[in-house]
Amino acid sequence: MDHQCATAASAPGLTEQEARQRLDAEGFNDLPGTDSRSFVRILGDVLREPMFALLLGAGAIYLFLGDLTDALMLLVFACLSISISVIQELRSERVLEALRDMTSPRALVIRDGSRKRIPGREVVRGDAIVLLEGDRVPADSLLVAANNLLIDESLLTGESAPVRKLATGGSKDAGMARPGGEDQPFLFSGTLIVRGDGLAIVRSTGQRSEIGKIGQTLGKIVAEPPRLRQQTRSLVRNFAAAGMAASLLAVLLYGFLRGDWLQAVLGGIALDMSMLPQEFPLVLSAFMVMGAWRLSQARVLTRRAAAIEMLGSATVLCTDKTGTLTENRMTIAELRTPAETWRAVAGASAPGGLIELIEAALLASGRDSFDPMERAIAGQASLHPGGSEDVYAGLELIRQYGLRPELLAMTNVWRRREGAECLAFTKGAPEAIGSLCRLDAEQLAWVRTALDEMAREGVRVLGVARTIHADLELPEDQQGFAFEFLGLVGFADPLRTNVPEAVRECQSAGVRVIMITGDYPATAEAIGRKAGLTGSGVIDGEELVRLDDAAVTARLRTISVFARILPEQKLRIVDALKADGEIVAMTGDGVNDAPALKSAHIGIAMGGRGTDVAREASSIVLLDDDFGSIVRTIRLGRRIYDNLRKAIAYIVAVHVPIAGLALVPLLFGFPLILTPIHIAFLEMVIDPACSIVFEAEPDEDDLMRRPPRSAESRLLSGAMAGWSLFQGLLAFAAVAAIFAGGLLRQLPENELRALVFVSLVLINGSLILVNRSSSGSLIQAIVRPNLSLWVLLSGVVAVLAVTLTWQPAMDLFRFGPLHLDDLGVTLLAGGTILVVLQLAKPIWRKASRPSRELGLNVPSPNQP
């Protein structure tokens, strides 16, 4: 192979003194450090969140009241939630660190006329860098000499195939172009040399490089605050303010009217505890933790809990092509000769008549090559009887002719060890191979027709030819051979087998799939068609540049395939969708995807083939690189949010009768029914019910047939708040009636307290059953599988039995004996509430006007 391009003579490079001066003046070849937050600063920011402060405060109140169990439970949840938040924030600080690591490979430079290996971060503008197969380019450079050079730029462009590079014609003042495109002299930092070698002059380093610009964009993107956290803050503030106001008013009224300030304070504490909404942040934290765990069971890593809350509302899924929809590996897709056509089947060898075409293509390639197309040829040849080694048997490589700007073909010349004749095999652009074979008009027409048909399928095509050369002297160039045309070899990055089904599931759930790729329009359109993407036509990067923001938004509503898209254009597409009211999920695996991944509401990175930069910029990582996992992730996200709303509805409902029983005796001078110990017992039922039982509820039957929920939906919508208050008021009416009946019967205070409290606990159980499903029947409310529910209810019944029969517990709760007729009353109250609410559920649902403002499931106006 000719290595003259990599000699120091062709470019003397810099001296060490010049390099040091430029390093001092322009800085290292890496990305600038960000104003990263320290652990202490992140911890302080997290602790200032109202929900965590409330958890800690509630724990302190229970500790002060002597309820060590409840206090420890709240404090443990608080510490767990704080730890998770801090870890997630620390991870998000690492995104630019990962990008800096990619931009600093080792580099072979020419300094003082000699080759020298230096850290990539010490490369400076003007350095002459020697490029060898398997190296990464250390900085944006201009190629001044090259030998058969192919570069994999997929991390910047998303193109599945490497691009051919040709040296500049000698003008070192040529401006830098953008990544992508064949036969350019521009090299970009972080890209991989898959074949050949070359010599280049560094033009841009650090943040001035193409990858550096991506880093700057990442640093400017500010993630949106989690919507559920904002809504929870609002709910917490409103309930806490109402509780404090009601408690203070009740204490003052009781104290001034009855003079018993101790009872007034105790009653006020019980009322405040009954209305203290510590369950809201507790439930949100528990659901996020358990949601992350459930997603991990589906091999999906959640890096930011906020993404879990957004999964169920995603309306658009923007996906990269290479490595996401496709397998990110070139395979033989089609073989054609004038006599025969074969479309490849995975794992199948080519039919006999086409074996010689593959063998010729193999002998025109390099052995153990980095080139994806040559690896695909070798893989196909290995399926033939005897494998690829039989093809090489008895042959010795004696010369290689590389690609040249005027002839895009390469030739290997082999000599038989037992003969004098030479065999020459060539492959390259079909037009170049046709020229070498001197095809006639009819043959050229066949080639053009075949190329058009294969291009429509998104197939990349190489022509293959061979000849026997009897002369001992080899020609100076490839045109000196009398080649015989053999046929065409088509290559494709195959679609993942489960992608069409996953796309259909997304569409049935109301999630539109848009493909954004750096690949060519024909390839992108073919892949989009095979994947089942809706929409018509393709927009490429050049057309996108000409469109203003309004036009981009309009086209986004009908176009599902974007090709030849640059990194900043991916970000523009995502931002345009967000501005149009869509909830955007974005998948990707390359550095070029990172800004869009970070900007999207839900960034989803591929964990296997994905770059560290993409993973660090994302909020979710698919550990198995399976596009189908996205559908499972959306299903889990919808289930999590669905169950979270059920828990919130239950919390609001159950606090109404508790608050009523705490408030009424204070206002009317009746005996106090609920004291702090009773509230603590109820919380021991409510907390696990809303944080464990509801979290474990199975999917609703129509979960993936609903359109995405509105981006404007509230965690506690008007309709849901009304339904919760209706439940709570009905429950309060039942316990108030039992309370009034006990007063009329002049039951002793301790017996009255036992009667009312047991009724309240059983009604609480009915509220749990009612809120398990938004549409299930009475039978389903009881028989739906949920082990956590029945463990909880069994435990409650057991503890309640102890408090009613064991004298020390009765004294602690100030209970009197509960007679059988009174027990029947409590059971009747619980059963009645369950039946009435189940019957009222469909009536209420029908009466509630569906609207986006109420947070019900109706289609987005932008959804096709």
Side-chain angles (χ1 to χ4, degrees):
M1 184 181 293
D2 184 6
H3 292 283
Q4 63 178 352
C5 64
T7 63
S10 60
L14 302 175
T15 66
E16 285 290 353
Q17 183 178 359
E18 289 172 331
R20 282 196 298 271
Q21 290 173 347
R22 292 195 180 183
L23 193 62
D24 292 339
E26 300 179 4
F28 286 105
N29 178 35
D30 54 19
L31 298 185
T34 58
D35 182 22
S36 58
R37 295 181 297 166
S38 66
F39 170 80
V40 174
R41 179 179 168 187
I42 290 175
L43 180 62
D45 290 344
V46 170
L47 289 176
R48 281 196 292 272
E49 292 291 337
M51 65 173 63
F52 295 128
L54 185 62
L55 274 172
L56 294 171
I61 290 175
Y62 282 122
L63 191 63
F64 175 77
L65 293 173
D67 190 339
L68 184 61
T69 301
D70 225 32
L72 288 177
M73 184 178 69
L74 283 174
L75 292 173
V76 165
F77 266 103
C79 292
L80 181 61
S81 300
I82 290 169
S83 300
I84 291 172
S85 296
V86 169
I87 290 172
Q88 289 168 343
E89 293 291 339
L90 286 172
R91 283 179 172 174
S92 68
E93 295 293 323
R94 293 170 50 195
V95 60
L96 290 182
E97 291 294 334
L99 195 57
R100 276 194 288 273
D101 290 342
M102 288 199 67
T103 59
S104 188
R106 299 282 293 176
L108 181 60
V109 300
I110 299 173
R111 298 269 179 90
D112 292 323
S114 301
R115 296 188 182 192
K116 181 180 181 181
R117 280 279 181 189
I118 64 172
R121 69 190 305 264
E122 295 179 9
V123 169
V124 298
R125 182 176 53 83
D127 257 328
I129 52 175
V130 179
L131 306 167
L132 302 176
E133 188 170 305
D135 286 350
R136 284 198 179 273
V137 179
D140 287 7
S141 310
L142 187 66
L143 189 64
V144 296
N147 179 49
N148 202 21
L149 192 64
L150 283 182
I151 303 285
D152 178 1
E153 295 183 344
S154 60
L155 64 80
L156 291 175
T157 66
E159 292 184 33
S160 55
V163 292
R164 191 171 49 245
K165 295 292 182 178
L166 298 179
T168 180
S171 173
K172 297 182 180 180
D173 296 324
M176 292 295 289
R178 301 306 301 272
E182 300 278 1
D183 303 330
Q184 294 188 7
F186 309 110
L187 309 181
F188 300 94
S189 177
T191 57
L192 178 68
I193 301 167
V194 298
R195 189 176 69 202
D197 54 55
L199 184 71
I201 304 300
V202 174
R203 304 299 300 274
S204 302
T205 60
Q207 62 180 325
R208 294 172 292 278
S209 66
E210 197 67 29
I211 201 171
K213 294 174 185 176
I214 294 176
Q216 294 181 65
T217 303
L218 279 171
K220 295 175 183 176
I221 296 172
V222 179
E224 295 185 5
R227 299 180 185 225
L228 282 188
R229 183 181 298 181
Q230 293 174 316
Q231 293 184 26
T232 302
R233 284 182 186 174
S234 177
L235 286 174
V236 165
R237 283 196 298 266
N238 294 339
F239 275 81
M244 291 179 64
S247 299
L248 181 61
L249 178 63
V251 168
L252 292 175
L253 286 174
Y254 195 96
F256 281 117
L257 294 178
R258 292 174 177 77
D260 191 344
W261 286 98
L262 178 59
Q263 282 293 95
V265 170
L266 289 175
I269 291 175
L271 178 60
D272 198 17
M273 290 177 63
S274 71
M275 299 185 69
L276 189 67
Q278 74 269 10
E279 294 93 355
F280 287 157
L282 174 64
V283 166
L284 183 59
S285 300
F287 270 65
M288 295 304 104
V289 171
M290 290 301 296
W293 177 80
R294 291 189 187 279
L295 287 170
S296 71
Q297 299 302 106
R299 295 194 55 74
V300 176
L301 174 64
T302 306
R303 298 190 63 257
R304 296 181 181 88
I308 297 175
E309 70 188 62
M310 301 299 294
L311 284 169
S313 61
T315 59
V316 174
L317 172 59
C318 295
T319 175
D320 184 32
K321 178 186 74 69
T322 305
T324 307
L325 294 177
T326 65
E327 297 179 4
N328 195 23
R329 63 180 182 89
M330 277 292 174
T331 61
I332 300 295
E334 190 173 340
L335 300 177
R336 287 200 184 200
T337 68
E340 189 173 1
T341 296
W342 178 69
R343 287 181 173 81
V345 178
S349 60
L354 295 172
I355 290 179
E356 66 176 7
L357 176 61
I358 283 294
E359 290 179 347
L362 180 67
L363 291 171
S365 305
R367 297 186 74 169
D368 302 320
S369 174
F370 282 84
D371 184 346
M373 290 187 180
E374 294 188 348
R375 293 171 72 92
I377 292 170
Q380 185 63 49
S382 68
L383 298 175
H384 297 169
S388 57
E389 289 307 312
D390 269 12
V391 180
Y392 293 116
L395 297 176
E396 178 186 0
L397 182 64
I398 60 173
R399 184 163 180 180
Q400 291 180 292
Y401 296 84
L403 293 169
R404 290 290 184 263
E406 67 279 4
L407 184 65
L408 300 177
M410 60 178 293
T411 299
N412 288 345
V413 182
W414 303 79
R415 175 180 290 131
R416 296 189 189 277
R417 294 192 179 98
E418 298 178 355
E421 66 181 10
C422 295
L423 304 175
F425 299 89
T426 186
K427 65 177 174 59
E431 298 84 356
I433 299 301
S435 175
L436 286 175
C437 296
R438 300 170 179 84
L439 299 181
D440 58 29
E442 183 179 349
Q443 292 171 315
L444 287 174
W446 177 87
V447 170
R448 283 192 290 268
T449 300
L451 285 176
D452 289 342
E453 292 175 356
M454 296 171 82
R456 284 195 292 271
E457 294 300 317
V459 175
R460 298 175 186 270
V461 185
L462 291 179
V464 179
R466 71 178 176 189
T467 187
I468 298 175
H469 188 77
D471 294 341
L472 295 178
E473 293 291 329
L474 295 178
E476 289 297 320
D477 53 40
Q478 300 174 77
Q479 286 91 339
F481 292 100
F483 283 110
E484 172 196 357
F485 182 75
L486 293 180
L488 302 174
V489 180
F491 301 85
D493 182 7
L495 190 73
R496 293 178 183 270
T497 55
N498 64 340
V499 164
E501 177 60 29
V503 169
R504 281 194 294 272
E505 285 195 65
C506 284
Q507 293 167 346
S508 70
V511 181
R512 188 160 65 98
V513 181
I514 295 176
M515 182 172 70
I516 308 173
T517 178
D519 218 331
Y520 291 94
T523 305
E525 187 173 21
I527 291 294
R529 185 169 60 251
K530 293 175 183 176
L533 301 187
T534 58
S536 58
V538 179
I539 290 181
D540 62 18
E542 291 184 1
E543 183 180 354
L544 195 64
V545 169
R546 296 192 296 268
L547 299 177
D548 59 22
D549 290 344
V552 170
T553 299
R555 296 296 298 277
L556 276 168
R557 294 174 179 171
T558 58
I559 298 293
S560 295
V561 178
F562 292 79
R564 303 299 289 168
I565 298 298
L566 297 171
E568 62 268 24
Q569 292 176 325
K570 288 191 177 187
L571 180 59
R572 184 186 181 194
I573 291 170
V574 169
D575 288 344
L577 287 167
K578 290 168 62 178
D580 200 31
E582 304 285 4
I583 301 299
V584 184
M586 169 76 191
T587 74
D589 58 359
V591 174
N592 62 317
D593 299 320
L597 284 171
K598 187 173 181 181
S599 179
H601 296 103
I602 311 159
I604 306 173
M606 299 294 149
R609 292 187 178 91
T611 61
D612 288 343
V613 179
R615 287 192 290 268
E616 292 297 332
S618 67
S619 48
I620 289 175
V621 178
L622 305 184
L623 298 179
D624 53 8
D625 284 7
D626 183 1
F627 185 80
S629 296
I630 298 173
V631 179
R632 295 193 294 273
T633 302
I634 291 174
R635 174 182 286 276
L636 280 169
R638 289 190 174 195
R639 168 184 165 177
I640 290 166
Y641 190 84
D642 214 24
N643 289 342
L644 179 59
R645 297 192 74 201
K646 294 174 186 176
I648 296 297
Y650 160 73
I651 291 171
V652 173
V654 77
H655 273 276
V656 173
I658 296 174
L661 281 179
L663 179 62
V664 167
L666 285 174
L667 294 179
F668 297 101
F670 298 138
L672 293 179
I673 298 298
L674 300 180
T675 65
I677 187 64
H678 299 103
I679 303 295
F681 179 90
L682 290 170
E683 291 297 335
M684 292 297 292
V685 179
I686 296 171
D687 288 349
C690 60
S691 61
I692 297 175
V693 171
F694 282 104
E695 193 283 328
E697 279 297 316
D699 301 352
E700 297 280 352
D701 292 339
D702 64 342
L703 189 67
M704 290 300 285
R705 295 194 299 273
R706 307 173 190 167
R709 72 174 189 271
S710 165
E712 305 301 321
S713 65
R714 290 170 290 173
L715 187 60
L716 185 64
S717 66
M720 192 174 76
W723 171 241
S724 296
L725 289 174
F726 175 74
Q727 295 179 67
L729 290 173
L730 189 63
F732 174 64
V735 293
I738 293 173
F739 182 42
L743 290 175
L744 292 175
R745 291 163 53 195
Q746 297 183 345
L747 289 177
E749 181 178 327
N750 285 359
E751 291 186 20
L752 178 63
R753 182 176 293 109
L755 173 64
V756 175
F757 185 77
V758 172
S759 299
L760 180 60
V761 171
L762 295 181
I763 289 174
N764 180 16
S766 297
L767 293 177
I768 294 174
L769 294 174
V770 167
N771 286 283
R772 294 187 65 197
S773 173
S774 58
S775 57
S777 65
L778 176 61
I779 295 176
Q780 288 177 318
I782 298 174
V783 302
R784 272 169 65 96
N786 188 335
L787 180 61
S788 301
L789 169 66
W790 300 113
V791 170
L792 173 67
L793 294 182
S794 298
V796 169
V797 170
V799 173
L800 199 60
V802 170
T803 62
L804 293 173
T805 56
W806 188 41
Q807 193 59 48
M810 294 175 66
D811 294 340
L812 179 64
F813 281 84
R814 287 186 284 174
F815 283 167
L818 187 67
H819 305 290
L820 286 178
D821 56 341
D822 292 331
L823 182 60
V825 170
T826 64
L827 292 172
L828 179 62
T832 301
I833 292 296
L834 176 61
V835 172
V836 171
L837 287 177
Q838 278 295 140
L839 293 175
K841 189 186 297 183
I843 300 173
W844 182 277
R845 190 168 58 250
K846 185 177 180 180
S848 298
R849 178 177 59 87
S851 73
R852 295 175 63 80
E853 175 61 28
L854 295 180
L856 301 180
N857 293 312
V858 297
S860 164
N862 298 333
Q863 189 176 317

